[in-house]
Amino acid sequence: MRTNIRVAGIIFYEGKLVTAQQNKNGKIYYVLPGGGVEDYESSQDAIKRELREELTIDIKKFRLSYIKEFNVKDKGRVIELYFYIEEYEGEIKKGFDPETKESEFENVYYADLNELNNFIFYPEQLIDIIEKDKENNFNGVKHLGLHDYPEEK
């Protein structure tokens, strides 16, 4: 079973959470910007690269805040690392993947934390804890659990 590692950034701009709006098969949802760790790349280098590609910013100060694990049916394990971005340079705007010359998402969306329950947001485990963790400056690392995907409903 293969293990894939993904990284994502928790970034606030003017008090709002920076998210990437996605549209898959007509279903609109929001995620934290990020992507996969490439072979021979550290997770720290990956978060820097992903946010440079997706949001055109250079992150300067960041720290690990959350870890989530899930099993993808018939495909293996995924470990997601969520980094709180404390400092960055540049203007946040929709970037693109340099290999495909296309964006991986539709729009940058700035979400109020109290509206995350109003739309589809992943990882949904953050909805109830991110506001309190922001107030505590994201001190410590939290494990969001081991889940199966797709989840049985």
Side-chain angles (χ1 to χ4, degrees), residues 1-6 68-72 75-80 145-147:
M1 176 169 51
R2 177 166 166 78
T3 299
N4 293 302
I5 301 173
R6 298 182 50 78
K68 178 183 174 187
E69 300 176 79
F70 56 96
N71 297 309
V72 180
K75 293 192 179 176
R77 167 78 57 94
V78 176
I79 298 172
E80 292 183 325
L146 172 61
H147 306 272

Side-chain angles (χ1 to χ4, degrees), residues 1 5 7 14 28 33 49 51 64 79 81 96 133 135:
M1 176 169 51
I5 301 173
V7 295
E14 295 184 354
I28 295 175
R49 176 186 50 76
L51 296 185
L64 182 63
I79 298 172
L81 306 173
F96 62 91
D133 288 342
E135 290 171 7

Side-chain angles (χ1 to χ4, degrees), residues 27-75:
K27 178 181 171 183
I28 295 175
Y29 60 96
Y30 301 83
V31 297
L32 296 171
V37 176
E38 296 178 355
D39 291 338
Y40 307 105
E41 181 180 46
S42 72
S43 59
Q44 291 87 356
D45 288 341
I47 191 66
K48 291 177 183 177
R49 176 186 50 76
E50 285 290 342
L51 296 185
R52 188 177 319 108
E53 290 174 1
E54 293 194 357
L55 300 177
T56 73
I57 60 172
D58 289 313
I59 60 174
K60 300 298 179 187
K61 188 175 178 184
F62 59 98
R63 66 176 176 272
L64 182 63
S65 296
Y66 303 107
I67 300 169
K68 178 183 174 187
E69 300 176 79
F70 56 96
N71 297 309
V72 180
K73 188 173 183 173
D74 301 323
K75 293 192 179 176

Side-chain angles (χ1 to χ4, degrees), residues 95-107:
F96 62 91
D97 185 318
E99 293 175 11
T100 64
K101 304 291 187 224
E102 294 180 7
S103 178
E104 297 290 320
F105 59 93
E106 295 211 343
N107 293 302

